[in-house]
Amino acid sequence: MKDQFLLREDITFLNFGSFGATPKPVFEAYQQFQRELEFEPVQFIVNRGPEYLKQSRVSLAEYLNCHPDDLVYVPNPTYAVNIVARSLDLKPGDEVLTTNIEYGACDRTWDFYCGEKGANYVKQPISLPLESKDAFLADFRKGFSPNTKLVFLSQITSATGLILPAKEICEEAKQRGIPVFIDGAHVPGHIPLDLTALDVDFYTGACHKWMLTPKGSSFLFVKRKFQNDLNPLIVSWGYQADFPSHSQFLDYHQFSGTRDFSAYLTIPEAIGFMKVNDWWGWAETNRLLVHKWLPRLCELVGSAPLAPVTDDFIGQMGSIPVRCKDPFELKNILYNEFKIEIPVMTQNGQSYVRFSINAFNDENDLLKLEQALKELLSRGLIY
C-alpha cells in the first residue's frame, strides 16, 4: 500500500495517529473539489457546495450508523468540544467528570469553560497499567457525585493509546441520568463505530486521522433532544436564518463564514477507498503487528504495556513508557538522526513513545524503531 500514499520514502512513518495521511485517490478528489471551487467560487459555495455537503453527510452517517441530520462537520474534535463546553448550562459547583488521561487540548477547553462558569472539571485518576475493564470502571465510578452533570471520555486516548470501555460508560451514566460526550478522535476507520448501538449523547470524531481524509475534516454528532441547546461557536448566517432549513442544528453549526470546505466533501471517496482496499482486513493485520511488537519494545526499554495486549485495549497504536530527560529532544533525535517520524508524549509525569501502524507499515519499520531505541539506550538518552 505504500505507493498509494504521498509520504516521503526516506522517512519511517510511525505517527499516523497524530494527523493521519491521505491516499492519492482521496487527495486527488480533494484537489478536484478545490479546482471546482476556484473555477466558479459563487456557484460552488452558494449552490453546489451545500448539496455536496449533504451528500457527504449521508455517506458518513451510513458509515457511522446514525441519521445524517444528527451530524455537522467541524474542522477538528477540539472545535466540537468547544461548541458543547461553551453551550452547556453549567452552574457553580456542577461537575464534568473525565479521566486523568485525556487529550491536552480538551482538558484546556474544559478548564476554561468550567472556570468561567464556576464548575469543576474532575479528572478521575485511572490506575495504570489497566488490569481489566472492570478495574477501569471501578476507578472511574469513584468520580461520580450528585453534582456530575456530564461525562466526558476519550474512546481511544492520545498519549497512552488505550481503548477505553465507552459502551460501558454510556450505560453506567444512563442509569444515573447523566449525558455522555465521547471524544472519538482516533476511532473512525480505526475500530468499528456504531453510534446508534453506542447510544451516546454527544460524539466527535476525526475523519482526517484513521479515515484518511485531508486535514481539517471532523464531525460532531448530537442526539436530537440536545441539538437546540447548542449555541453556534461562530455566529453567522445560520443564526436567525433568512431561509431556515428543517434543522436549527445544521443552520447554526454547518456554515461559519467563507472557507474552503473541500476536505469534508472527500469523505465518500475515503469510505470508498477503504471499502475497495479491505481496510478492516488491514486494521486486523495492523493490530496483530502492534500486539506482537508492543511487549517486545516495552521489554527492551525496561517497562511494560499499559494494559493487557488484546483488542479490548490496544488497536493500531502502542505507547511505550520510557524514562528520558527531554521528551522533545528525544522526538527530534528520532526524526533527525534515525528518520523515524514518531511522537514522544508526556502525561502525568510519564513519557511515552507512541507508534502507529497502518497499511503501508511492516515489520521492517518496527525493526528500525527497535534499533533506534537500542542506540538511544546505549547513549543514555533513555534509561
Side-chain angles (χ1 to χ4, degrees):
M1 295 298 296
K2 287 182 180 179
D3 64 354
Q4 292 290 314
F5 289 82
L6 295 160
L7 294 164
R8 283 174 51 178
E9 293 184 4
D10 62 324
I11 298 295
T12 301
F13 195 78
L14 293 173
N15 192 11
F16 203 90
S18 284
F19 307 112
T22 304
K24 293 174 183 177
V26 181
F27 193 74
E28 288 165 4
Y30 176 50
Q31 291 184 310
Q32 184 57 44
F33 280 121
Q34 291 181 313
R35 289 190 183 95
E36 186 176 345
L37 165 62
E38 294 306 324
F39 290 158
E40 181 44 275
V42 175
Q43 291 300 314
F44 186 92
I45 291 173
V46 175
N47 294 321
R48 290 195 299 274
E51 184 58 33
Y52 292 154
L53 277 171
K54 180 179 178 181
Q55 294 168 8
S56 180
R57 282 192 298 105
V58 168
S59 294
L60 181 61
E62 182 179 356
Y63 185 75
L64 301 175
N65 191 26
C66 66
H67 195 283
D69 287 349
D70 296 337
L71 295 170
V72 290
Y73 285 126
V74 292
N76 50 67
T78 305
Y79 190 103
V81 174
N82 272 265
I83 291 174
V84 177
R86 184 185 182 193
S87 300
L88 203 63
D89 185 23
L90 293 172
K91 302 290 194 299
D94 288 346
E95 295 177 355
V96 175
L97 175 61
T98 190
T99 73
N100 67 335
I101 51 174
E102 299 301 318
Y103 183 55
C106 294
D107 279 340
R108 286 165 169 80
T109 300
W110 287 111
D111 281 338
F112 178 87
Y113 286 110
C114 286
E116 189 175 64
K117 299 174 183 184
N120 298 312
Y121 184 50
V122 179
K123 294 193 270 192
Q124 178 60 29
I126 300 299
S127 301
L128 295 177
L130 293 178
E131 295 180 359
S132 64
K133 284 187 178 182
D134 286 343
F136 172 86
L137 294 169
D139 273 348
F140 193 74
R141 285 191 191 103
K142 296 173 185 176
F144 283 105
S145 84
N147 296 324
T148 304
K149 302 302 179 186
L150 180 79
V151 168
F152 177 76
L153 182 79
S154 292
Q155 189 168 2
I156 301 180
T157 62
S158 179
T160 62
L162 295 172
I163 301 171
L164 300 182
K167 177 65 173 174
E168 290 83 350
I169 290 296
C170 287
E171 291 169 352
E172 174 90 18
K174 183 177 287 293
Q175 292 175 2
R176 298 170 182 262
I178 300 169
V180 178
F181 186 2
I182 297 294
D183 175 5
H186 286 276
V187 173
H190 187 162
I191 59 176
L193 175 59
D194 183 329
L195 287 174
T196 298
L198 187 59
D199 195 22
V200 67
D201 302 291
F202 307 89
Y203 195 103
T204 184
C207 302
H208 57 238
K209 289 181 184 280
W210 300 89
M211 269 189 75
L212 311 174
T213 68
K215 313 303 171 278
S217 54
S218 300
F219 66 87
L220 172 63
F221 164 87
V222 180
K223 268 189 180 176
R224 203 70 55 92
K225 67 178 181 179
F226 295 108
Q227 289 177 2
N228 287 350
D229 296 335
L230 298 185
N231 295 320
L233 195 60
I234 304 295
V235 177
S236 189
W237 291 102
Y239 176 70
Q240 297 179 347
D242 295 329
F243 303 99
S245 72
H246 61 285
S247 167
Q248 176 180 297
F249 180 56
L250 295 175
D251 288 343
Y252 274 22
H253 304 286
Q254 195 57 94
F255 183 79
S256 57
T258 304
R259 60 156 297 179
D260 178 3
F261 49 82
S262 299
Y264 300 155
L265 309 183
T266 66
I267 287 167
E269 182 73 26
I271 293 171
F273 179 89
M274 290 189 289
K275 186 178 295 185
V276 166
N277 289 284
D278 184 26
W279 220 243
W280 290 125
W282 278 112
E284 181 179 4
T285 299
N286 300 333
R287 285 198 310 275
L288 291 174
L289 201 55
V290 173
H291 292 183
K292 174 182 177 180
W293 277 84
L294 179 58
R296 173 171 167 172
L297 294 173
C298 286
E299 182 179 5
L300 172 65
V301 301
S303 64
L306 297 173
V309 183
T310 66
D311 287 348
D312 281 343
F313 296 106
I314 307 295
Q316 295 174 229
M317 297 194 298
S319 286
I320 308 161
V322 297
R323 294 176 296 278
C324 63
K325 292 181 179 178
D326 188 339
F328 184 75
E329 179 191 20
L330 181 59
K331 179 187 185 306
N332 285 338
I333 290 172
L334 283 163
Y335 184 80
N336 294 323
E337 293 188 26
F338 297 95
K339 302 301 180 187
I340 299 174
E341 179 65 79
I342 192 168
V344 181
M345 309 281 203
T346 300
Q347 191 169 60
N348 301 326
Q350 173 65 60
S351 296
Y352 304 98
V353 176
R354 189 195 73 188
F355 65 95
S356 304
I357 297 296
N358 217 321
F360 50 77
N361 294 116
D362 59 27
E363 291 208 88
N364 288 326
D365 297 328
L366 290 164
L367 282 167
K368 290 177 183 176
L369 176 60
E370 182 179 56
Q371 290 303 313
L373 293 176
K374 287 179 179 178
E375 172 68 18
L376 293 168
L377 281 164
S378 71
R379 289 158 55 179
L381 293 172
I382 55 177
Y383 48 88

